[in-house]
Amino acid sequence: MTIPELTDVHPAWLPPEAFRAIGSRRALVLGDGALTGTVHDEVAAACARYGGSAERAGDGPFDLVLALTTAGPLPQVAAAIAAEAGPIGEEGYVLARRDGVTAVLASDPAGLLYGLFHLVRLGEPAFGAARPVERHEPAMRRRMLDHWDNIDVHPVMGQVERGYAGGSIFWRDGVLREDLTRVRAYGRLLAACGINAVAINNVNVHATEAHLLTDRLGEVAAIAAELRPYGIRVHVSVNFASPMALGGLPTADPLDEDVRRWWAATTARVYETIPDFGGYVVKADSEGQPGPFAYGRSHADGANLLAGALAPHGGVVHWRAFVYNHRQDWRDRSTDRARAAYDHFAPLDGSFRDNAILQVKYGPMDFQPREPVSPVIAAMPETRLAVEFQVTQEYTGQQKHVCYLAPLWRELLDFRPWGRDGRDVADVATELVAVSNVGDDAYWTGHPLAQANLYAFGRLAWDPRLAPDTVLDEWIDLTFAPAAEPLRRTLHTIMDGSWRTYERYTAPLGVGFMVRPGHHYGPDVDGYEYTPWGTYHFADRDGVGVDRTRATGTGYTGQYPRPWSDVYESLEQCPDELLLFFHHVPYGHVLRGGATVIQHIYDTHFAGADEVAEMRTHWDKLEGLADPALHTRVQELLDEQLRCAQEWRDQVNAYFFRKSGVPDAHGRRIP
Ligand code: GCV
């Protein structure tokens, strides 16, 4: 296989330079299987560039051995390391260096591939001093990206729903792209950060895309062929009403025998074409998508129908828990969108088949920069759970703003629903899924620095205990290899705290939204206030926030186990950053941090916009240290981020000043 090299696309975290250390070695790659072949081809390509050699057999001497433990006979050093390491788990690998030989060993070829990319991350230090045996195994068995790509260009959403990096890398002008080299290069980038599954189309499955399941299956197979050499399985979003739309049946009732037979036969055909097909993703009874409610059936009935069709082939269904009433009456204060997923799904715990995975957004609302962790995560001990993140920055600056999301994700993964001594979200989830931020843009992600979010998602799905700044360091070292120190320092200065900066200049204290309706970019404090979408802040002249308490509000706090049900219920204990998510308070309410709510709003909005101005100054100083085109692109985007942050600052401050009449304690200008 030729290693994909693209001249018109930024190499992201795999520039040729990242392979220098490996490419100058005498390497042996041992073992069978297609992925072992990929490992060999990667090493051989690096060696062709940097003067090393890559063998598949021979006596050596070798200074790098990448081998399956089942391959024989292993060189002596590798055999000794294998004996010391003992059994190695699925997709895992061990790494050690002794007697001048660096060895990566795995029991399956996928592990070898991940081990190779670990060597790439280490670079020259992998070939320096002796290293004891290190074991690496993924925390999550599936580490998946969902693409919200359409085949056709949607009149409102464009081609990629909530995509900020151009068109789809899969389709163009309504047909599969002729040259899929970029898809293969994408697979390579994903494998290098640990991703092993991709759902290729939007969860809102429109008429054209529904056909990927049947007469356009060849396109799925072609994409799968590009991703397979990098260990990535392809999944497809399906429309629950497919038996009617594609099969001509009068119903899509999950308990109907003909419907069952249709899904079984259709799924069997999928597997005849793509034997390693991953499975289906379903958004049902949500934002206009069809689902089991139409037939008076439950979501377990719906999910189990598809799980049943997939089970004989080893596939899985990802069934999304994002189910709520998007036609709510804003006058009705008793309906609370935040409650919806728990109310629908918690009673169904234990009734899903083994190969049905409930995919839950990290928060109860919708990918806001600050939300409490979804209570569904603690409520379904008998159900396999995937937690869903949003790498695409729908609500976090749309890849025009720098917003490094790993610190947010780490907070979510570290959250302990049962309190200090209980398990955390990373322990409870069996999988992590995220909406991809990639398109046909020359930097993959629109904003060049948004690449770091994609990289960090993969790394955290592999190891949720990694520190965000360590992951950022990895990304910097690979992407800007070799990274000059001022560049590294400045990127940290700009990116480490960028999510908190974004939070400061947008909706305050966890209340969320306040974005322009529809496209969700930029401020509009009342944009959603009198709409059916269920995303309100209830600001009036006296106060702001949503009362979700049991005592006087919607009762949402009761969906959490102790201690959080009590902590969130209590005005005194509720964390400041979530105060307005849980409570409606007067503007003069004093936060745990000491400021009043209104003064906090003013202070954070002034501070957030100032921080963006500082980012801009820091970035300017890098001229000459980063690639000129990349430097200019980031500079232009920082101009836009600054403009937008100032707009947020002024709108939010002016809005609350006008509502409350309370002046800023520091006398700053509020328009
Ligand atoms: C794909 C939000 C987004 C929608 C998205 C939906 C979902 O509402 O704005 O574009 O639909 O989430 O996650 O299904």
Side-chain angles (χ1 to χ4, degrees), residues 369-372 408 411 415 499-500 503-504 507-512 564 567-568 573-583 591-593 600 604:
R370 177 72 72 175
E371 285 188 52
L408 162 66
E411 280 198 13
F415 179 76
W499 159 57
R500 284 178 189 279
E503 182 185 21
R504 280 185 197 110
L509 296 165
V511 77
W564 293 106
V567 170
Y568 292 147
Q573 291 178 50
C574 183
D576 281 350
E577 66 274 14
L578 288 169
L579 185 73
L580 301 184
F581 190 92
F582 286 104
H583 296 272
L591 295 166
R592 290 154 65 91
H600 172 92
T604 48

Side-chain angles (χ1 to χ4, degrees), residues 497 499-508 600-601 603-609 611:
W499 159 57
R500 284 178 189 279
T501 294
Y502 186 84
E503 182 185 21
R504 280 185 197 110
Y505 62 78
T506 54
H600 172 92
I601 292 176
D603 289 348
T604 48
H605 284 77
F606 282 115
E611 283 161 24

Side-chain angles (χ1 to χ4, degrees), residues 148 161-162 203-204 283 287 320 322 361 366 394:
W148 285 354
E161 180 157 344
R162 311 308 181 185
V203 288
N204 291 326
K283 172 176 177 177
E287 300 184 333
R320 296 181 81 229
F322 184 59
K361 286 191 183 185
D366 195 6
E394 175 178 1

Side-chain angles (χ1 to χ4, degrees), residues 15-287:
E17 184 66 26
F19 289 80
R20 182 183 285 278
I22 291 172
S24 54
R25 261 60 217 199
R26 292 161 300 177
L28 174 68
V29 180
L30 271 188
D32 298 328
L35 291 186
T36 311
T38 301
V39 172
H40 170 263
D41 297 348
E42 284 283 353
V43 176
C47 290
R49 189 182 293 270
Y50 293 110
S53 61
E55 310 295 333
R56 299 222 54 173
D59 297 329
F62 298 108
D63 39 19
L64 169 60
V65 175
L66 291 132
L68 290 183
T69 46
T70 49
L74 295 178
Q76 216 180 355
V77 176
I81 294 170
E84 190 182 322
I88 307 169
E90 213 181 312
E91 294 186 305
Y93 56 91
V94 297
L95 170 77
R97 179 167 174 84
R98 65 176 64 150
D99 304 336
V101 180
T102 298
V104 174
L105 305 171
S107 55
D108 71 311
L112 212 53
L113 185 67
Y114 296 124
L116 166 73
F117 286 121
H118 189 82
L119 283 183
V120 173
R121 276 194 294 278
L122 289 174
E124 205 51 47
F127 302 96
R131 301 175 82 91
V133 172
E134 281 170 34
R135 308 180 70 84
H136 297 264
E137 274 163 25
M140 308 279 168
R141 62 193 285 184
R142 197 171 292 101
R143 305 168 298 280
M144 179 165 177
L145 286 172
D146 282 4
H147 276 251
W148 285 354
D149 296 21
N150 300 314
I151 296 176
D152 295 324
V153 177
H154 189 274
V156 181
M157 294 292 175
Q159 189 178 22
V160 179
E161 180 157 344
R162 311 308 181 185
Y164 312 103
S168 169
I169 60 169
F170 306 125
W171 294 281
R172 184 177 179 161
D173 298 333
V175 291
L176 189 70
R177 284 173 180 269
E178 244 167 63
D179 180 3
L180 291 177
T181 316
R182 192 166 171 141
V183 175
R184 177 150 319 180
Y186 180 52
R188 182 172 182 246
L189 286 174
L190 296 189
C193 64
I195 305 282
N196 64 0
V198 170
I200 59 175
N201 64 306
N202 189 359
V203 288
N204 291 326
V205 185
H206 306 295
T208 306
E209 293 76 20
H211 288 263
L212 290 173
L213 192 55
T214 51
D215 45 305
R216 295 188 76 149
L217 185 59
E219 297 171 31
V220 184
I223 294 169
E226 298 299 328
L227 296 177
R228 187 172 295 117
Y230 287 99
I232 292 162
R233 293 173 91 174
V234 160
H235 299 237
V236 163
S237 298
V238 298
N239 187 306
F240 191 75
S242 295
M244 298 160 80
L246 303 171
L249 297 183
T251 177
D253 182 346
L255 301 192
D256 182 276
E257 262 319 304
D258 288 339
V259 169
R260 211 177 272 275
R261 267 195 292 275
W262 186 86
W263 279 110
T266 303
T267 305
R269 273 196 301 278
V270 172
Y271 279 90
E272 275 161 29
T273 313
I274 311 166
D276 60 353
F277 180 71
Y280 300 142
V281 180
V282 188
K283 172 176 177 177
D285 291 315
S286 171
E287 300 184 333

Side-chain angles (χ1 to χ4, degrees), residues 401-470:
H401 297 213
V402 181
C403 188
Y404 178 51
L405 291 165
L408 162 66
W409 298 334
R410 257 310 293 262
E411 280 198 13
L412 298 164
L413 291 163
D414 288 351
F415 179 76
R416 294 182 186 277
W418 298 275
R420 250 207 331 253
D421 301 327
R423 293 180 306 152
D424 64 13
V425 169
D427 293 326
V428 177
T430 51
E431 321 195 342
L432 274 193
V433 177
V435 187
S436 176
N437 63 349
V438 154
D440 66 3
D441 165 66
Y443 288 97
W444 295 95
T445 51
H447 201 307
L449 305 188
Q451 288 177 6
N453 283 331
L454 186 59
Y455 180 82
F457 170 73
R459 295 291 290 134
L460 287 178
W462 180 280
D463 180 0
R465 315 288 170 205
L466 285 171
D469 59 341
T470 307

Side-chain angles (χ1 to χ4, degrees), residues 416-576:
R416 294 182 186 277
W418 298 275
R420 250 207 331 253
D421 301 327
R423 293 180 306 152
D424 64 13
V425 169
D427 293 326
V428 177
T430 51
E431 321 195 342
L432 274 193
V433 177
V435 187
S436 176
N437 63 349
V438 154
D440 66 3
D441 165 66
Y443 288 97
W444 295 95
T445 51
H447 201 307
L449 305 188
Q451 288 177 6
N453 283 331
L454 186 59
Y455 180 82
F457 170 73
R459 295 291 290 134
L460 287 178
W462 180 280
D463 180 0
R465 315 288 170 205
L466 285 171
D469 59 341
T470 307
V471 176
L472 191 59
D473 253 347
E474 285 180 6
W475 175 76
I476 295 169
D477 274 342
L478 291 167
T479 306
F480 299 97
E485 228 8 77
L487 180 69
R488 172 201 304 284
R489 257 199 323 273
T490 304
L491 285 169
H492 275 290
T493 307
I494 292 174
M495 295 173 75
D496 282 343
S498 53
W499 159 57
R500 284 178 189 279
T501 294
Y502 186 84
E503 182 185 21
R504 280 185 197 110
Y505 62 78
T506 54
L509 296 165
V511 77
F513 290 88
M514 299 190 173
V515 290
R516 297 227 173 92
H519 58 65
H520 298 166
Y521 184 72
D524 187 343
V525 179
D526 277 342
Y528 275 112
E529 199 57 16
Y530 308 102
T531 72
W533 291 93
T535 53
Y536 315 122
H537 54 70
F538 299 122
D540 58 24
R541 65 178 188 173
D542 300 319
V544 56
V546 190
D547 184 352
R548 292 192 160 103
T549 63
R550 299 190 288 289
T552 51
T554 69
Y556 168 80
T557 56
Q559 294 186 340
Y560 289 89
R562 283 216 164 86
W564 293 106
S565 54
D566 294 339
V567 170
Y568 292 147
E569 177 81 7
S570 152
L571 195 53
E572 290 71 41
Q573 291 178 50
C574 183
D576 281 350

